[in-house]
Amino acid sequence: MKPIRWIGWTVMVALAGLALWARPAPSPAPQDWFRTGTGLGVSKVRLAVPNFGATNAAAQPLEKVFDKVLWDDLAYSGVIQMVSKSFYPLPSTWPTQPSQLQGQEKQWTQTPANAAMMALGNMAVSGSSLSVSGWLVDLTNTSAPPMLSKVYTGDATAEGARLLAHEMSNDIVSLLSGGVPGIALTHIVYSHQVGKNAELSVMDYDGANKHQITDLHTESIMARWSPDAGEIAFTCFVPYRGVVSAQLCLYSMAAKRVMYFPRFPGTNSAPAWSPSGRELAFSSSMRGDPEIWKVNSDGTHPVQLTFAPHSDNTSPVWNPKTGKQIVFVSDRGGLPGLYMMGEDGADLVKIDLPGMGYIVDPAWSPNGQLLAFSWRRPNGNYDLYIMDIATHQLLQLTRDAGRNERPWWAPDGRHLVFQSDRTGTWQIWTMMADGTGLRQLTHTGKNFSPNWSWK
Amino acid sequence: MESSTESSSLRKFALILTVAALTVVIGACQKKVAAVPPKPAPPPAAPAAPTVTLTASPDFITQGQQSTLHWTSQNATTLDLEPTVGSVQPPSGSTSVTPSESTTYTITATGPGGNAVDTVRVTVSPKSAPQPSAPSATLEELFAQNVKDAFFNFNMANIRPDARVALTQDAAFLRAHPNVDVTIEGHCDERGSLEYNLALGQRRANAAKNFLISLGINPDRMRTMSWGKEHPFCTEHNETCWQENRRAHFVLAH
């Protein structure tokens, strides 16, 4: 056994050498949720957000909408600890502009509030437009200029107030999380059952403004936003000359309709955008059994990437950071599992997760470091996991709560959307990428196959 | 870019160190070679397990025709071919059979090392093509009466014995109705995941189609598609219902 000890020592010496010679390791990227994990709660900024002021009567109902949306956005951002309003000083003293804070800072920075920062402001309606003046102030250094000082202008409607609150929360989140943009203006596309069929619907990231976008009277499923959020690729079953088969379909957000996309023989499904937006990877049986293919996003030049007859290959997803790798699902080894290859199909490797079978629905985190997926447990339930690609370290996100499938990352890398039947029906949920902060976005009917926009 | 060159130079450095470390380890290993005691003599070899292969030529006949069964075996002392044939001579040989209906022949090889089994199915089509049961029966009615779906195990796309029977019957119908084309729809039960099921359903449809091709049906007459777990036949949450939904479903194409 001596040689083994030798190896151990040699590796340790080598590592020590590395540590001595290496330049300081770069600090983890700010969006690196996995490594910071639940410890992030400790370093979250304690933020006070007193109600904004309404400087005229017409602004009063909009101010209530704005306050609630801003609060919910910031509370769900994952980077901010909201100071409960019950810890604030008397409402009559709440400032609506920074000058009113002069000499009052300690009321906010001392116990019980213990706030480090404050978002504050006021708004007015003029004609049909709403104008919000908003600030973000460091309460420990009020003599410095505010971190954020901005006028937000929009429609004097509840929807206008919602949008301005989203814009301001995005600015605050970006400032407090090292430049990672907030997600308050992102959208989620999903399938919604209509009769026997499924149509695509889109909603805001918080579940507001649900609206159906397709009317194809067939199954419209597996939707994926293009990186510029201008198009949605999905799988449809539109008949053509009497033949029904799964085909790639493309919906244009600008044209508000399904665009032309060429049909291929066989079953064509699960389109996935390359981060450049120029290519789609997908599963196609055009040459026999389902294999991974890619095609230009205008439908030209299909190329076969995998060659594993007598197996199913589907659910491709590109590395959104580099565009150089594709992870996909294959059952060539028996149960479906995850495989990784170059975007040209070379360098195929199985992502070995000992003890885990039936792994599907891979979703690649925006920073390129993590994979979310769902694992079908022996009891038939599905749970969501996150895996660090470099170390294969796993984090379980759901537990004992029915089936949880089809995770997809928000562009901030801190949130996931997924489908769950934990309430007895299939609905769309979001959560933080550590499994906390569950939010149910749909409540009626059957809703499934969600996808979060890239921006 | 800078950080990637940095990490690649680090990687090179680590590689050099690892190579150096391995060299030391290999050196250590070589020193130890002399100390390794001689290997104990291998245990006496167990009797080799028998192997056997059975084929039929042709494996599709019309009633009254002959098919020849061929077998080859290794390490077998006795061979038994059932039904109807009985004991046959090792290691290899052939015999003619004239089954009146589709039959699965099983050969069992026995030797000092154990048993081995192989099977082959000889499909027999009736002498005359099935006639319309009533002159008034429409093609749709005949299709519904005679064409059976093929069913599958969970997460599988291979043709089960019961599916072989169904598909063999389907082949007979298609042979008797050369103008009939079919669409084969793959279906899956709700327990699998959405995207994977759509692929699996296609492979089930392909498996049914390939089986019919092996029975001589022209591939141009068969189109395949998959519904995955959408549009299920049965919506209850139990195995009876799940089995109903794991199928290759035949639809008359016009």
Side-chain angles (χ1 to χ4, degrees):
Chain A
M1 285 299 101
K2 248 184 188 164
I4 287 173
R5 206 174 300 156
W6 258 104
I7 293 172
W9 276 110
T10 320
V11 168
M12 280 177 69
V13 170
L15 285 175
L18 262 182
L20 281 174
W21 284 94
R23 277 180 252 173
S27 57
Q31 71 270 33
D32 190 345
W33 176 272
F34 197 86
R35 242 157 259 165
T36 46
T38 47
L40 219 136
V42 185
S43 58
K44 281 182 188 171
V45 176
R46 282 183 65 81
L47 179 70
V49 188
N51 293 350
F52 278 44
T55 53
N56 54 22
Q60 277 172 7
L62 301 183
E63 186 251 330
K64 287 192 167 49
V65 173
F66 181 95
D67 282 345
K68 176 167 180 8
V69 174
L70 180 66
W71 184 279
D72 289 348
D73 283 351
L74 295 171
Y76 202 53
S77 67
V79 295
I80 292 166
Q81 179 71 51
M82 301 296 280
V83 179
S84 164
K85 282 182 178 166
S86 60
F87 294 156
Y88 293 3
L90 288 176
S92 57
T93 70
W94 292 2
T96 59
Q97 50 185 314
S99 60
Q100 294 168 352
L101 260 174
Q102 296 291 322
Q104 306 293 314
E105 298 91 336
K106 284 193 173 162
Q107 290 196 57
W108 297 90
T109 55
Q110 286 177 346
T111 308
N114 292 320
M117 295 198 186
M118 179 186 285
L120 71 164
N122 57 75
M123 65 192 70
V125 168
S126 164
S128 64
S129 97
L130 171 67
S131 174
V132 177
S133 299
W135 292 273
L136 177 66
V137 176
D138 182 349
L139 292 169
T140 63
N141 186 14
T142 46
S143 59
M147 295 174 71
L148 172 69
S149 173
K150 194 166 168 181
V151 177
Y152 301 87
T153 314
D155 293 343
T157 59
E159 189 47 35
R162 278 180 51 81
L163 276 174
L164 297 191
H166 284 331
E167 283 178 31
M168 184 169 179
S169 78
N170 272 359
D171 287 339
I172 294 171
V173 168
S174 177
L175 284 166
L176 297 184
S177 67
V180 179
I183 55 170
L185 289 167
T186 59
H187 296 95
I188 291 167
V189 62
Y190 59 102
S191 295
H192 173 70
Q193 187 172 331
V194 180
K196 271 190 75 177
N197 299 317
E199 303 285 357
L200 296 187
S201 287
V202 168
M203 60 185 166
D204 296 354
Y205 95 110
D206 55 4
N209 291 322
K210 297 180 178 78
H211 59 286
Q212 188 177 322
I213 60 167
T214 62
D215 195 20
L216 296 173
H217 300 276
T218 176
E219 300 286 331
S220 296
I221 50 181
M222 305 176 195
R224 296 268 179 93
W225 291 97
S226 65
D228 65 2
E231 290 170 303
I232 295 169
F234 62 106
T235 305
C236 62
F237 287 82
V238 179
Y240 176 75
R241 293 184 184 168
V243 180
V244 178
S245 63
Q247 294 293 333
L248 305 188
C249 280
L250 210 52
Y251 180 87
S252 161
M253 295 300 285
K256 294 188 188 304
R257 64 179 179 85
V258 176
M259 310 300 282
Y260 168 79
F261 199 85
R263 297 175 69 92
F264 300 116
T267 288
N268 299 277
S269 65
W273 294 88
S274 71
S276 71
R278 288 195 291 265
E279 288 176 292
L280 290 164
F282 63 109
S283 170
S284 177
S285 71
M286 70 175 94
R287 291 237 182 98
D289 287 330
E291 299 275 14
I292 304 297
W293 290 65
K294 68 176 178 181
V295 63
N296 291 339
S297 51
D298 62 3
T300 60
H301 196 48
V303 179
Q304 186 172 353
L305 299 181
T306 62
F307 297 86
H310 311 299
S311 69
D312 299 300
N313 300 276
T314 186
S315 305
V317 54
W318 300 69
N319 181 333
K321 188 78 176 175
T322 67
K324 298 293 184 197
Q325 296 95 34
I326 292 173
V327 162
F328 63 101
V329 168
S330 177
D331 63 1
R332 63 189 69 187
L335 289 174
L338 302 184
Y339 290 76
M340 193 188 299
M341 64 184 175
E343 49 129 17
D344 55 357
D347 303 325
L348 178 81
V349 287
K350 181 172 178 26
I351 298 177
D352 216 8
L353 293 169
M356 297 177 91
Y358 208 114
I359 296 174
V360 290
D361 302 338
W364 211 317
S365 70
N367 68 5
Q369 295 172 1
L370 310 171
L371 283 177
F373 58 81
S374 47
W375 173 27
R376 183 176 189 272
R377 296 187 162 281
N379 68 4
N381 277 343
Y382 287 69
D383 278 316
L384 301 184
Y385 284 76
I386 289 176
M387 185 194 81
D388 182 302
I389 294 171
T391 64
H392 284 202
Q393 191 188 345
L394 291 171
L395 182 63
Q396 183 175 357
L397 302 184
T398 62
R399 201 182 292 274
D400 303 329
R403 290 176 67 160
N404 302 278
E405 297 177 54
R406 300 190 67 74
W408 197 259
W409 294 87
D412 66 356
R414 287 189 286 261
H415 298 78
L416 291 165
V417 66
F418 64 104
Q419 67 181 56
S420 177
D421 71 351
R422 63 184 66 199
T423 57
T425 56
W426 283 109
Q427 301 299 344
I428 309 294
W429 296 67
T430 57
M431 65 180 167
M432 306 300 298
D434 63 357
T436 64
L438 276 169
R439 226 186 203 190
Q440 184 175 354
L441 301 188
T442 62
H443 296 85
T444 55
K446 178 187 176 187
N447 303 284
F448 59 106
S449 201
N451 186 257
W452 208 315
S453 64
W454 298 52
K455 61 182 195 181
Chain B
M1 277 295 108
E2 197 190 330
S3 73
S4 81
T5 35
E6 198 174 286
S7 72
S8 88
S9 73
L10 274 183
R11 228 174 275 141
K12 267 182 215 158
F13 183 67
L15 183 69
I16 293 165
L17 277 171
T18 316
V19 169
L22 279 176
T23 316
V24 174
V25 173
I26 291 164
C29 284
Q30 280 170 344
K31 266 182 212 163
K32 293 285 161 199
V33 166
V36 173
K39 274 185 190 168
T51 60
V52 65
T53 313
L54 183 65
T55 58
S57 160
D59 64 358
F60 190 96
I61 55 173
T62 313
Q63 216 169 51
Q65 285 181 336
Q66 275 190 350
S67 173
T68 308
L69 303 176
H70 302 266
W71 63 89
T72 56
S73 69
Q74 283 182 324
N75 309 317
T77 49
T78 63
L79 293 174
D80 187 47
L81 180 54
E82 296 296 342
T84 68
V85 181
S87 178
V88 295
Q89 208 52 42
S92 60
S94 62
T95 187
S96 294
V97 290
T98 315
S100 57
E101 57 187 8
S102 298
T103 306
T104 301
Y105 290 92
T106 303
I107 190 161
T108 307
T110 309
N115 297 320
V117 172
D118 195 21
T119 62
V120 71
R121 183 159 178 87
V122 177
T123 306
V124 181
S125 71
K127 220 170 207 162
S128 54
Q131 292 301 308
S133 52
S136 61
T138 64
L139 186 61
E140 282 79 5
E141 285 164 349
L142 284 173
F143 189 88
Q145 283 162 17
N146 292 292
V147 177
K148 304 289 183 227
D149 291 350
F151 292 85
F152 295 84
N153 285 343
F154 178 64
N155 210 40
M156 302 293 252
N158 50 342
I159 303 292
R160 304 193 309 212
D162 62 326
R164 292 175 74 102
V165 173
L167 292 169
T168 303
Q169 195 178 327
D170 298 342
F173 180 85
L174 291 173
R175 214 173 284 114
H177 297 84
N179 295 325
V180 166
D181 289 357
V182 292
T183 299
I184 309 175
E185 297 179 349
H187 290 264
C188 301
D189 75 36
E190 62 174 359
R191 294 175 300 165
S193 67
L194 183 73
E195 283 176 15
Y196 175 67
N197 267 357
L198 194 63
L200 180 62
Q202 179 63 43
R203 202 150 58 88
R204 285 176 176 166
N206 287 358
K209 177 181 174 179
N210 289 336
F211 189 85
L212 292 176
I213 293 172
S214 78
L215 296 184
I217 306 299
N218 182 347
D220 293 343
R221 298 173 61 191
M222 300 177 280
R223 268 197 290 259
T224 57
M225 65 86 67
S226 173
W227 282 111
K229 60 176 172 176
E230 312 305 310
H231 293 202
F233 290 83
C234 177
T235 55
E236 287 163 39
H237 313 293
N238 56 52
E239 172 52 30
T240 311
C241 189
W242 293 328
Q243 176 62 87
E244 279 291 295
N245 293 333
R246 295 192 302 267
R247 67 165 92 186
H249 175 56
F250 283 77
V251 180
L252 180 62
H254 293 281

